[in-house]
């Protein structure tokens, strides 16, 4: 009886340990595996009314009350949506009505409308408890017009002479001119350079943030960024730098990789995705650019993909202007963005198809009362990215493309995912030869938009309704009745073993 008792305990322990080992054996997450949610703290969620001074919800250029506590209160919401990293617009002390964060007066202090630095540290800590990373927007190009340095006679050489940019192709004007009347910092001055490198390193050491989004990269000399990148990355391992180069030529963006920046928000791809997905139509220009990116960039999977942000009118507005249905258009665009090489960046409110025109209308207060079918859809996309490394790390191979119907696959470490996307106004049916996937395989639907696909007459046939998309994983062909029988038999055997164990224990007590 002792032997039987030991065997039962060993069996149960083996099952538990096997499950534990399997759960802990997943590879460490890398930056290309992240999914980023971008928000303006002031416009996201009001969690602390004690800092609501000078708040005016009727003024689109005033503070609206969002704060660090408000973000903390919604971390579980963002986690459930599948986001693994948050990018916050600048959180530093700003001038009056600097709700957006880009009119900085003090680079070592937080904006009082948002909370204290201790409140921000709590936000970082709470995010890390949920295995979520924090990216801060960092500005070194300019300050607020009323920054104390501007009128300090000892700081006159900290700024370039006030000149507007006339020729945007002139590198000297780009790097020395004032943008939107904001005082342009002279990074060639060693004091300025060292100050901003020290500030950047201080925030990492003090708050344990995980990355910076670097504002207006092309307006600052590359040699500054080279030293900045090296110094900043010396503070924390795997610290991520995401640069903003507002250019629609990928070759112009590519030249800034020599600065040591990991990736850039992909404006050329943004431009083509907006055109391609705001209404049904051809996807050739988007695919051509993605294939070009694969050849041009050393790490295209570290580029930041986005469909809208705080500097553009909302994607929903563009969809509505073309008399299309926002949820349909968003779903198709998001499927593409989540499953092609790059890190998806979703602007706050996109999950409810928030509308908005140009700045500041594109920065409306987030509403958590509004509901949209996009919420569940984005959650499912996030789940797929988090569970299938082929979606985030795999090589991409476009198998079929014609007039808006697209099929492609991604392969990584023995796993294959297949994405079928119908960006047309008609139902589409496409057959792919079995040699592409294998004879004894099946394509299992991961998103719930279609049926599993098995090989028939030597082909895998994809049938998609208009304006829909499906994500599949390639698996061994399963015999449903056989699988059910194995499952039932296993459960029965486990129950029988447990019952036998308790009967033997009872018999043992009776004998003693």
């Amino acid at each position: 009886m002792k032997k039987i008792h030991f065997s039962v305990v060993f069996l149960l322990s083996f099952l538990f340990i096997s499950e534990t080992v399997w759960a802990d054996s997943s590879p460490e997450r890398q930056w290309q595996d992240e999914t980023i949610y971008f928000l303006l703290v002031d416009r996201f969620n009001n969690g602390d009314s004690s800092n609501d001074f000078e708040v005016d919800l009727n003024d689109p250029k005033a503070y609206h009350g969002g704060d660090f506590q408000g973000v903390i209160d919604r971390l579980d919401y963002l986690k459930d949506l599948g986001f693994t990293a948050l990018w916050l617009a600048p959180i530093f002390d700003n001038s009056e009505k600097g709700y957006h964060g880009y009119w900085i007066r003090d680079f070592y202090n937080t904006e009082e409308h948002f909370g204290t630095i201790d409140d921000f540290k709590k936000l970082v800590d709470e995010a890390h408890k949920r295995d979520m990373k924090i990216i801060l927007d960092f500005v070194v190009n300019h300050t607020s017009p009323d920054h104390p340095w501007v009128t300090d006679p000892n700081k006159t050489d900290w700024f370039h002479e006030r000149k507007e940019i006339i020729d945007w192709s002139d590198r000297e004007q780009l790097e020395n001119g004032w943008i939107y009347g904001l005082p342009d910092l002279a990074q060639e001055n060693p004091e300025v350079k060292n100050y901003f490198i020290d500030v950047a390193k201080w925030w990492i050491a003090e708050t344990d943030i995980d990355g910076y989004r670097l504002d207006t990269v092309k307006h600052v000399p590359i040699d500054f960024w080279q030293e900045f990148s090296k110094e900043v990355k010396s503070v924390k391992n795997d610290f991520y730098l995401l640069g903003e180069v507002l250019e629609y030529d990928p070759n112009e963006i590519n030249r800034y990789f020599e600065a040591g920046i990991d990736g850039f928000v992909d404006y050329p791809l943004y431009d083509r995705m907006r055109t391609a997905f705001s209404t049904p139509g051809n996807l050739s220009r988007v695919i051509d650019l993605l294939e070009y990116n694969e050849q041009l960039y050393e790490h295209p999977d570290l580029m930041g993909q986005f469909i809208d942000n705080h500097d553009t009118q909302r994607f929903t507005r563009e969809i509505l202007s073309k008399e299309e249905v926002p949820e349909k258009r968003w779903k198709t665009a998001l499927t593409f963005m989540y499953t092609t090489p790059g890190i998806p960046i979703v602007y706050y409110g996109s999950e409810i198809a928030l509308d908005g025109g140009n700045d500041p209308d594109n920065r409306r207060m987030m509403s958590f009362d509004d509901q949209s079918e996009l919420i569940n859809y984005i959650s499912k996309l996030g789940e797929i990215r988090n569970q299938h490394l082929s979606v985030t790390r795999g090589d991409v191979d476009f198998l079929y493309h014609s007039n808006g119907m697209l099929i492609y696959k991604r392969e990584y470490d023995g796993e294959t995912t297949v994405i079928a996307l119908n960006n047309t106004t008609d139902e589409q049916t496409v057959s792919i030869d079995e040699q592409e996937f294998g004879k004894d395989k099946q394509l299992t639907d991961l998103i719930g938009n279609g049926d599993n696909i098995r090989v028939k007459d030597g082909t895998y046939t994809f049938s998609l309704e208009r304006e829909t998309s499906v994500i599949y994983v390639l698996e061994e062909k399963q015999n449903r009745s056989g699988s059910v029988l194995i499952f039932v038999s296993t459960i029965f055997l486990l129950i029988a073993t447990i019952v036998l164990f308790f009967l033997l224990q009872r018999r043992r007590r009776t004998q003693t």
Side-chain angles (χ1 to χ4, degrees):
M1 285 182 288
K2 288 183 179 179
K3 291 182 179 179
I4 295 175
H5 173 255
F6 174 78
S7 298
V8 172
V9 173
F10 175 80
L11 174 62
L12 295 175
S13 299
F14 175 77
L15 291 172
F16 174 78
I17 292 172
S18 298
E19 178 67 20
T20 303
V21 170
W22 179 86
D24 291 342
S25 63
S26 57
E28 185 176 354
R29 205 166 76 225
Q30 299 176 7
W31 274 101
Q32 62 262 46
D33 304 324
E34 308 294 349
T35 309
I36 298 173
Y37 189 88
F38 169 42
L39 60 89
L40 277 67
V41 174
D42 177 66
R43 300 302 167 92
F44 186 61
N45 187 41
N46 190 343
D48 182 3
S49 60
S50 68
N51 52 38
D52 285 358
F53 54 93
E54 299 175 353
V55 166
D56 185 353
L57 294 175
N58 295 317
D59 182 353
K61 294 185 177 182
Y63 284 94
H64 284 188
D67 46 42
F68 298 139
Q69 187 59 51
V71 179
I72 293 171
D73 292 344
R74 296 293 178 175
L75 284 176
D76 289 332
Y77 162 83
L78 296 173
K79 178 78 172 179
D80 290 343
L81 280 172
F83 293 104
T84 60
L86 305 184
W87 157 20
L88 310 181
I91 64 167
F92 313 112
D93 181 40
N94 262 244
S95 297
E96 183 181 356
K97 292 195 174 181
Y99 71 91
H100 44 67
Y102 294 95
W103 298 344
I104 300 171
R105 297 186 75 256
D106 187 343
F107 289 89
Y108 276 102
N109 279 316
T110 56
E111 168 53 46
E112 55 188 339
H113 287 88
F114 302 164
T116 66
I117 191 168
D118 287 334
D119 295 329
F120 178 68
K121 288 179 181 179
K122 180 183 176 184
L123 166 57
V124 176
D125 183 56
E126 289 296 326
H128 286 171
K129 287 179 182 178
R130 294 163 173 80
D131 200 22
M132 301 172 75
K133 297 178 180 177
I134 296 293
I135 301 169
L136 273 191
D137 210 315
F138 198 74
V139 183
V140 305
N141 178 67
H142 54 263
T143 70
S144 166
D146 63 351
H147 193 292
W149 295 343
V150 177
T151 55
D152 186 342
N154 296 318
K155 294 283 195 297
T156 55
D157 59 349
W158 278 47
F159 296 97
H160 293 127
E161 180 184 356
R162 177 163 191 167
K163 290 182 179 179
E164 300 299 325
I165 301 174
I166 305 300
D167 182 359
W168 287 79
S169 64
D170 186 319
R171 187 72 52 194
E172 182 179 354
Q173 290 190 42
L174 284 179
E175 295 177 359
N176 298 333
W178 288 32
I179 305 174
Y180 307 123
L182 298 172
D184 194 78
L185 288 158
Q187 293 82 16
E188 67 274 14
N189 181 333
E191 290 184 336
V192 176
K193 178 187 70 175
N194 292 334
Y195 176 89
F196 280 97
I197 289 175
D198 288 344
V199 170
K201 293 169 71 173
W202 184 85
W203 278 97
I204 301 169
E206 186 71 17
T207 67
D208 198 28
I209 55 174
D210 306 287
Y212 283 130
R213 180 268 191 181
L214 304 174
D215 186 63
T216 53
V217 166
K218 72 176 182 179
H219 297 283
V220 176
I222 284 183
D223 59 358
F224 168 86
W225 291 122
Q226 289 171 334
E227 187 168 352
F228 178 92
S229 301
K230 179 181 177 181
E231 290 292 326
V232 162
K233 291 187 176 187
S234 71
V235 182
K236 184 175 183 178
N237 292 331
D238 197 32
F239 195 82
Y240 177 64
L241 296 177
L242 174 68
E244 180 210 34
V245 176
L246 211 172
E247 292 282 355
Y248 293 95
D249 178 359
N251 296 289
E252 279 297 306
I253 293 176
N254 189 50
R255 68 185 297 271
Y256 285 93
F257 275 106
E258 65 182 87
I261 298 171
D262 300 297
F264 294 88
V265 285
D266 197 336
Y267 271 95
L269 187 60
Y270 146 82
D271 185 49
R272 296 193 183 192
M273 284 197 298
R274 291 274 289 224
T275 301
F277 292 113
S278 57
T279 186
N282 198 294
L283 299 174
S284 295
R285 294 184 70 248
V286 180
I287 297 168
D288 289 346
L289 183 59
L290 272 178
E291 292 180 328
Y292 186 69
N293 285 356
E294 289 285 308
Q295 301 299 318
L296 180 66
Y297 302 132
E298 184 175 356
H299 295 292
D301 52 354
L302 290 178
M303 294 291 285
Q305 294 193 17
F306 68 103
I307 298 176
D308 59 3
N309 66 18
H310 58 319
D311 292 324
T312 70
Q313 72 170 358
R314 291 275 184 172
F315 185 46
T316 297
R317 174 62 58 90
E318 186 162 345
I319 295 169
L320 291 172
S321 71
K322 296 180 179 179
E323 300 182 345
E324 299 287 345
V325 179
E327 283 79 6
K328 280 189 175 183
R329 297 285 82 222
W330 264 111
K331 284 183 178 181
T332 310
L334 288 167
T335 301
F336 185 84
M337 188 174 75
Y338 267 67
T339 59
T340 49
I343 304 173
I345 301 172
V346 178
Y347 187 39
Y348 83 95
S350 298
E351 69 270 30
I352 57 171
L354 190 62
D355 188 18
N358 294 321
D359 171 16
D361 192 40
N362 55 357
R363 303 169 182 182
R364 298 179 186 180
M365 194 70 184
M366 174 65 182
S367 171
F368 294 95
D369 294 327
D370 294 347
Q371 294 298 313
S372 169
E373 59 190 84
L374 283 175
I375 293 176
N376 291 333
Y377 194 77
I378 289 175
S379 297
K380 177 57 69 174
L381 290 176
E383 177 185 309
I384 291 171
R385 277 186 63 87
N386 293 333
Q387 294 181 357
H388 297 276
L389 290 178
S390 56
V391 175
T392 62
R393 304 185 190 180
D395 297 327
V396 62
D397 184 8
F398 293 102
L399 305 177
Y400 177 88
H401 171 233
S402 178
N403 297 322
M405 178 64 188
L406 176 63
I407 299 174
Y408 54 100
K409 68 177 180 179
R410 300 196 66 181
E411 296 177 305
Y412 177 81
D413 196 23
E415 180 186 72
T416 300
T417 46
V418 180
I419 300 89
L421 193 151
N422 181 2
N423 196 46
T424 78
T425 56
D426 298 308
E427 181 180 348
Q428 299 286 337
T429 300
V430 176
S431 294
I432 303 293
D433 192 275
E434 66 179 359
Q435 293 182 354
E436 195 64 60
F437 305 124
K439 293 183 178 181
D440 298 318
K441 306 285 185 178
Q442 76 172 24
L443 293 170
T444 303
D445 175 21
L446 294 175
I447 209 163
N449 281 355
D451 297 323
N452 297 341
I453 301 176
R454 298 185 182 186
V455 65
K456 183 178 181 181
D457 298 330
T459 62
Y460 290 82
T461 302
F462 298 80
S463 295
L464 271 72
E465 297 292 330
R466 58 174 292 176
E467 299 179 72
T468 59
S469 51
V470 187
I471 303 173
Y472 304 92
V473 64
L474 186 65
E475 298 179 326
E476 296 294 330
K477 185 165 62 175
Q478 298 176 2
N479 184 307
R480 182 172 296 179
S481 59
S483 299
V484 172
L485 180 61
I486 293 173
F487 175 76
V488 172
S489 300
T490 302
I491 294 298
F492 177 79
L493 179 61
L494 181 60
I495 293 174
T497 303
I498 294 172
V499 171
L500 177 61
F501 167 69
F502 283 109
L503 287 175
L504 290 172
Q505 286 291 90
R506 181 178 180 184
R507 180 180 178 183
R508 182 182 179 183
R509 288 194 299 270
T510 302
Q511 288 177 344
T512 56

